[in-house]
Amino acid sequence: MTRENRGRAVELLTVRQVLDELGGISRRTFYRWRELRIAPACIRLPNGELRVRRDVLNDWLEDRAERAAS
């Protein structure tokens, strides 16, 4: 699913797609991360479903990347 955002396409991922991208973590783990406020920011649609913007997920992953020791 994509959506235009200021002239560029923004990919909105389902929770299932996010779980798969994170190596198949469980839905329960993802929702626990949300409770702890450590999951990537989500968008709640009017029907109650969640979506995660691709750029938000990528930034979230980058923030958690371990840096090589200097």
Side-chain angles (χ1 to χ4, degrees):
M1 172 185 293
T2 61
R3 184 176 166 186
E4 289 298 318
N5 184 20
R6 298 183 195 176
R8 67 170 205 246
V10 174
E11 184 179 8
L12 298 177
L13 303 170
T14 65
V15 171
R16 170 56 45 208
Q17 289 171 311
V18 172
L19 300 179
D20 291 344
E21 292 228 6
L22 295 176
I25 67 164
S26 72
R27 185 173 292 269
R28 182 176 182 191
T29 295
F30 180 79
Y31 281 98
R32 179 69 177 145
W33 288 353
R34 281 187 41 85
E35 288 175 10
L36 297 171
R37 299 188 182 273
I38 59 174
C42 297
I43 298 168
R44 184 171 300 280
L45 300 177
N47 65 1
E49 291 182 13
L50 296 177
R51 296 292 185 270
V52 178
R53 287 176 40 166
R54 162 67 66 194
D55 60 333
V56 169
L57 179 61
N58 290 344
D59 290 346
W60 182 83
L61 288 169
E62 183 65 30
D63 289 345
R64 279 144 189 82
E66 291 186 7
R67 305 294 181 233
S70 304

